Amino acid sequence: MTKIAFVQEEFRDRFSVMALSAMLEKGNHQREVFIQEKSEGFVEEVLQCKPDIIAFSTMTPGIEFALKYMGIFKERSNAMIIMGGPHPTFYPEIIEEKNIDAICIGEGDQAILDFANAFENNESIYHIKNFWVKDKTDRTKIYKNELFPLSELDDLPMGDRGIYFKKYPELARSQTKKTMIARGCPYSCTYCFNHSLKKMYKGSGKFVRFQSVETAINEIKYLKDNYGMKWLQLITDTANINKKWFMEFLDTYQKEIGVPFLCNVRIDKIDEEIVKKMAEAKCERVDYGVEHGSYEIRKNVLKRDMTDEVIIKAGQLFTKYKIRVQTANIIGVPHETVQSAFSTIKLNRHLKPEIAKCFILQPYPKTEIYEYSSDHGFLYDNYSFSNFGTGFQIGFDGSTDFMQLKLKDAKKLVRLFYLFNFLTQVTFLDWLIPLLVRFPLNRLFKMIYIFPVVKQEVKYSQTLKQKLLGIKKLFKAIIS
């Protein structure tokens, strides 16, 4: 059997790893996950496992971590180094990095099993679908293969949560469990790669796929019975885009599960019938994208053609039915000014979110927003992957005190970003904002930014120890 080590930086259970591990289990291959954030001897632990394959599931903000440790593992082991996930899917040229042996593009469920089987049986790995593979003797030669058709989700095994929960019992004890009920999104927002993924898979099966209600409920029952939960988080881009499915799911969930849940929705596909049923089924919190307060920017720059009236009317339904709200918003888009960014704050006030999350725009190459920014002169000359972050993580050392685009109000916008959530809750300071954002009080603004996040983390922590760790995180950030 083939031994595969999945390695990652952050301490969380990842659906991509769980899905791939479940497929590998069908071939009786050995799997183990290693999390750098939870290990002082991370490299040695991976090497002691003596893996045949070391696998990185990588998003673009994690590319520096992946390349660093690929180099270390390539130098110190004979393991094959492979990378999958969003980054190699949209930037397959990463295969040219010297320490990468192969990349997996797109959904790799069947591909990873075929790859591990071929590796175990000493068969050729050069012609496995979804994989680009370097020739072992001529590293400049790359075998590029077509994609598998998209799988129906009911045809795939349940994700292997044991790969995380057995090794990291803290994750198993988490009061919030997660389940992925769908894959794919029908929309083409310009800051997202979704339009590229749809083109990639055109003619290869249904792009937006939901589990059957029966399969989704059975998986949730398994989680509840085997690990327990106080809350459930439904993982999908837009739970409500298929209203018929969602209403049937909510009805069954209310009857058979009854645990408070969280989910993401598309706000312009919300109506009172849906929200009423969500409340009856114990939806405790909903997340949705507002993105920007200017209709013109939403429509013409972000390709989110929904009016303020539609957003406000739908958003206020959640207030009516007492469902907590978190909104997602973007600051630093092309043409952004302090005035246009403040319109996003004002729109959020109508929605009364518990937290109005704000992200600094990350215009990734090959997205439409990148091309728009380039065409209109908003990109810096030294723009590169090394500049990318998540758009919402902050550093008290000043490393995040910049906008990704060349904007006249850039410094003021950074300060408004830190104050964003606070200002959605407080209105009496509006007259002072033009003056406040002129002053470089970034450390103070960051404290204001991080406080509600830590407060929420402490509120929903399972133990006193976890609550104290949340408070420690706040103070550590402040004094660092």
Side-chain angles (χ1 to χ4, degrees), residues 265-373:
V265 298
R266 174 84 176 190
I267 192 64
D268 59 340
K269 297 297 181 182
I270 282 293
D271 60 39
E272 187 157 7
E273 182 184 16
I274 292 175
V275 178
K276 184 174 184 291
K277 176 55 71 175
M278 290 173 70
E280 291 171 350
K282 294 189 178 180
C283 178
E284 182 161 309
R285 194 191 83 203
V286 66
D287 293 32
Y288 58 83
V290 174
E291 309 309 359
H292 206 276
S294 163
Y295 173 67
E296 293 303 317
I297 288 178
R298 284 199 304 273
K299 179 182 178 182
N300 299 321
V301 179
L302 304 180
K303 285 193 176 178
R304 291 179 64 86
D305 189 0
M306 55 184 82
T307 65
D308 291 5
E309 290 74 22
V310 166
I311 295 171
I312 292 169
K313 182 179 178 181
Q316 289 178 340
L317 288 171
F318 294 112
T319 303
K320 176 179 178 179
Y321 286 93
K322 296 180 173 57
I323 298 175
R324 295 188 294 122
V325 167
Q326 287 193 8
T327 60
N329 307 273
I330 299 174
I331 196 168
V333 299
H335 312 289
E336 189 83 282
T337 63
V338 170
Q339 184 178 6
S340 68
F342 197 69
S343 72
T344 313
I345 292 171
K346 289 182 176 179
L347 180 55
N348 271 266
R349 287 173 177 170
H350 292 284
L351 309 171
K352 295 180 169 44
E354 180 181 61
I355 293 182
K357 295 180 290 186
C358 187
F359 303 81
I360 294 175
L361 177 70
Q362 308 292 304
Y364 293 115
K366 299 186 183 181
T367 58
E368 290 187 46
I369 198 82
Y370 174 89
E371 299 300 331
Y372 184 97
S373 300

Side-chain angles (χ1 to χ4, degrees), residues 92-310:
E93 58 271 21
I94 193 70
I95 187 72
E96 296 171 8
E97 289 285 340
K98 65 177 182 178
N99 295 314
I100 299 179
D101 298 310
I103 61 171
C104 185
I105 295 171
E107 297 186 8
D109 304 271
Q110 185 61 48
I112 192 68
L113 179 59
D114 288 359
F115 193 91
N117 287 343
F119 191 96
E120 177 186 10
N121 297 322
N122 292 317
E123 297 172 352
S124 173
I125 57 173
Y126 294 144
H127 304 293
I128 294 172
K129 290 181 179 180
N130 288 61
F131 271 93
W132 288 19
V133 187
K134 284 179 181 171
D135 190 276
K136 291 180 180 179
T137 55
D138 180 4
R139 301 281 287 179
T140 64
K141 185 176 182 180
I142 299 171
Y143 298 88
K144 303 177 181 181
N145 299 291
E146 62 182 8
L147 300 176
F148 273 108
L150 291 167
S151 300
E152 289 293 336
L153 300 192
D154 281 9
D155 295 336
L156 299 175
M158 185 188 304
D160 175 21
R161 291 172 173 84
I163 194 172
Y164 285 102
F165 289 177
K166 291 177 183 178
K167 186 171 183 178
Y168 301 103
E170 292 171 69
L171 293 173
R173 291 193 298 267
S174 171
Q175 295 186 96
T176 303
K177 297 300 190 299
K178 297 174 287 187
T179 187
M180 181 172 282
I181 58 173
R183 292 185 188 179
C185 174
Y187 301 104
S188 297
C189 303
T190 60
Y191 48 84
C192 181
F193 284 108
N194 198 55
H195 72 288
S196 296
L197 199 59
K198 287 191 290 187
K199 289 179 182 177
M200 192 181 300
Y201 275 109
K202 187 175 182 180
S204 295
K206 190 177 180 181
F207 186 70
V208 179
R209 292 148 291 149
F210 281 78
Q211 292 178 319
S212 66
V213 170
E214 180 182 8
T215 297
I217 293 296
N218 286 341
E219 184 163 343
I220 295 167
K221 285 180 178 177
Y222 171 84
L223 271 175
K224 183 181 178 182
D225 294 344
N226 288 274
Y227 299 106
M229 65 177 84
K230 190 172 181 179
W231 296 282
L232 176 73
Q233 185 172 6
L234 302 177
I235 303 297
T236 178
D237 293 316
T238 46
N240 62 316
I241 55 170
N242 184 335
K243 181 177 178 179
K244 181 180 178 182
W245 183 95
F246 195 41
M247 295 296 284
E248 181 185 348
F249 171 83
L250 291 171
D251 188 57
T252 309
Y253 185 92
Q254 180 182 357
K255 295 173 183 175
E256 300 187 21
I257 307 296
V259 174
F261 71 93
L262 303 73
C263 67
N264 296 336
V265 298
R266 174 84 176 190
I267 192 64
D268 59 340
K269 297 297 181 182
I270 282 293
D271 60 39
E272 187 157 7
E273 182 184 16
I274 292 175
V275 178
K276 184 174 184 291
K277 176 55 71 175
M278 290 173 70
E280 291 171 350
K282 294 189 178 180
C283 178
E284 182 161 309
R285 194 191 83 203
V286 66
D287 293 32
Y288 58 83
V290 174
E291 309 309 359
H292 206 276
S294 163
Y295 173 67
E296 293 303 317
I297 288 178
R298 284 199 304 273
K299 179 182 178 182
N300 299 321
V301 179
L302 304 180
K303 285 193 176 178
R304 291 179 64 86
D305 189 0
M306 55 184 82
T307 65
D308 291 5
E309 290 74 22
V310 166

Side-chain angles (χ1 to χ4, degrees), residues 451-470:
F451 176 75
V453 179
V454 175
K455 179 184 176 183
Q456 186 182 60
E457 184 175 319
V458 170
K459 180 179 179 181
Y460 294 103
S461 293
Q462 184 174 358
T463 64
L464 176 61
K465 180 181 178 181
Q466 291 173 342
K467 293 179 187 293
L468 292 174
L469 285 173

